[in-house]
Amino acid sequence: MPHILFLMSDTGGGHRAASRAIEAALQEREPGRFTVELVDLWKDYTPFPFNTIPDSASHWLDALPSSYSATFWMWDMLARSRWWSRLYCGLLSSWMKRLHVEHPADVIVCVHAAFVRPAVHALRKTCSNKPFITVITDYAWPTCLWYDPRVDRCLVPTEPAYERGLALGMKPAQMLVTGPPVHPKFSKLGLSKSEARTQLDWSPDKRVVLIIGGGDGTGPVLATARAIDERELDCELVVIAGRNQSLKTALESAPWKGAMRVYGFVENMHVMMRASDLLITKAGPATITEAAILGLPLVLNGGLKYQESPNIDYVVEREAGVYAPGAKKTADQVEKLLEHEGAGLEALGAGLTRIAQPDAVWKIADEIRRYV
């Protein structure tokens, strides 16, 4: 039975979610034909202190986002240098060779930028011609680390990502614009908005504004909810705190003027998005695509500089959402979009169809099946 190895890490960015989304599509295409394994490379195949990154990444992103952005920029600059790339691959060579020995696979799929080069370098050094496929999980302007001409296939989410690959020396035949991987449950959801609200026991009549801060509940979630609540708009707020228990406690204990629902980490995000009228979120690629597939207008209230900020421009230029940094500006935009019976929300609908790519995960799965 063919075995597929996913190279990822729990360092934010939805790498595990992307792997699971592709796995779900593969199993739906051909149930039981493949075995799948996920390996966290930062945790299991780097030395101390780098192996602690999965446990500290969310705290770093929340506490010092500017330093994370600076690190991202520095790595992107260094990755353009051949000598640095050779040094980086050499430093991780023994770890990556051990990876390939301990986790033999028929096809290798990398969904983490930091490990494309060292993993494919080690594989080719063993004279192996096993297929190595990169699935880029960044969105509008991926870091240079994603692109390596030694891979068999590089699946990119957007046209700008494709153009960047060409500029960095990738061949057109190596790359394919698929869209970003999103779990099939988003594109296959058969519920109407009213049915989703009935399932969730939400109000059938009020506008629902959904606020999320990713799985770890980062960003100005509480401040944003308070700013909107102060406007006393005719809407219901739903806030998802994710794994951030202190945020959930703060939300639940705060006094609210209007209707408010608070959740921790949820597994039914697709149902909640279907039941909502507007989403407030940072510019993470997976969330943007999930919302677009379900036709949910976006207010992007921030994004990591260099990594996520290009996503904001991509969405706004296609009129699929608006950018409103900070709690006050976000509240201003929410009020504006809800005016005149939600005319602003309807105006964003056409833009959402320009960025929605419901077939992306199926295209990715079919490419992997072809190499199997």
Side-chain angles (χ1 to χ4, degrees):
M1 183 178 293
H3 186 62
I4 302 170
L5 177 66
F6 283 89
L7 307 182
M8 44 70 67
S9 186
D10 288 316
T11 53
H15 308 295
R16 181 177 293 275
S19 302
R20 292 301 185 195
I22 298 167
E23 178 188 6
L26 284 166
Q27 296 297 353
E28 286 203 32
R29 283 290 201 236
E30 296 187 73
R33 188 192 167 196
F34 313 99
T35 56
V36 171
E37 182 181 14
L38 276 63
V39 175
D40 188 325
L41 295 188
W42 276 127
K43 184 177 181 180
D44 298 333
Y45 288 94
T46 62
F48 181 84
F50 302 105
N51 60 359
T52 66
I53 288 177
D55 296 323
S56 60
S58 63
H59 302 293
W60 181 17
L61 291 171
D62 201 27
L64 296 167
S66 59
S67 71
Y68 176 90
S69 297
T71 303
F72 182 91
W73 177 86
M74 180 184 69
W75 275 60
D76 189 56
M77 293 295 104
L78 289 172
R80 304 180 193 200
S81 165
R82 290 185 179 180
W83 71 261
W84 180 90
S85 186
R86 286 196 297 267
L87 175 64
Y88 179 53
C89 291
L91 289 173
L92 289 181
S93 179
S94 62
W95 295 86
M96 295 297 103
K97 287 179 180 177
R98 182 162 65 85
L99 162 75
H100 293 306
V101 170
E102 295 178 347
H103 300 276
D106 298 288
V107 176
I108 299 160
V109 181
C110 188
V111 298
H112 199 296
F115 296 101
V116 175
R117 294 184 185 184
V120 74
H121 174 80
L123 186 68
R124 299 305 182 226
K125 280 291 184 181
T126 64
C127 299
S128 172
N129 62 352
K130 289 180 181 179
F132 192 105
I133 302 170
T134 302
V135 179
I136 296 182
T137 56
D138 285 332
Y139 197 55
W141 197 247
T143 173
C144 296
L145 289 167
W146 280 113
Y147 302 99
D148 191 300
R150 292 169 291 186
V151 305
D152 295 280
R153 202 71 162 134
C154 181
L155 307 180
V156 302
T158 61
E159 287 293 342
Y162 178 86
E163 294 298 329
R164 185 162 214 217
L166 293 178
L168 291 169
M170 299 292 286
K171 297 176 181 177
Q174 279 182 294
M175 295 189 294
L176 177 68
V177 180
T178 59
V182 170
H183 200 282
K185 63 187 178 183
F186 284 88
S187 58
K188 295 181 68 177
L189 183 63
L191 293 176
S192 66
K193 182 176 291 188
S194 61
E195 290 170 337
R197 290 190 178 187
T198 298
Q199 187 178 119
L200 296 166
D201 196 26
W202 289 3
S203 169
D205 303 319
K206 280 185 173 290
R207 297 276 186 186
V208 174
V209 177
L210 178 64
I211 306 174
I212 63 176
D216 293 314
T218 58
V221 175
L222 179 58
T224 300
R226 281 177 170 163
I228 296 171
D229 184 62
E230 285 294 324
R231 304 296 175 95
E232 298 188 57
L233 304 174
D234 185 21
C235 68
E236 182 174 290
L237 289 179
V238 176
V239 185
I240 301 177
R243 301 179 187 88
N244 191 334
Q245 185 57 48
S246 61
L247 173 61
K248 185 172 184 290
T249 301
L251 287 162
E252 290 173 334
S253 59
W256 300 101
K257 296 180 179 180
M260 163 68 75
R261 297 177 186 271
V262 179
Y263 296 84
F265 187 82
V266 300
E267 297 286 354
N268 61 339
M269 182 65 78
H270 55 309
V271 179
M272 290 189 167
M273 283 189 176
R274 172 67 84 198
S276 302
D277 296 287
L278 179 65
L279 173 64
I280 300 170
T281 180
K282 70 185 186 72
T287 306
I288 289 171
T289 310
E290 290 165 359
I293 289 172
L294 295 174
L296 180 60
L298 292 156
V299 174
L300 301 176
N301 62 354
L304 292 166
K305 193 174 182 181
Y306 306 119
Q307 183 174 19
E308 294 178 338
S309 53
N311 303 344
I312 296 170
D313 296 333
Y314 184 84
V315 170
V316 172
E317 287 169 4
R318 287 156 182 78
E319 300 180 341
V322 295
Y323 177 47
K328 182 183 181 301
K329 289 183 178 179
T330 299
D332 290 341
Q333 282 291 347
V334 171
E335 186 171 10
K336 182 178 178 181
L337 289 168
L338 295 181
E339 286 177 349
H340 310 298
E341 299 183 353
L345 299 177
E346 293 182 14
L348 295 176
L352 288 164
T353 62
R354 298 187 191 104
I355 65 171
Q357 301 180 73
D359 296 331
V361 74
W362 306 108
K363 292 179 182 177
I364 293 167
D366 289 342
E367 281 296 306
I368 294 171
R369 287 170 61 222
R370 189 165 68 86
Y371 280 90
V372 170

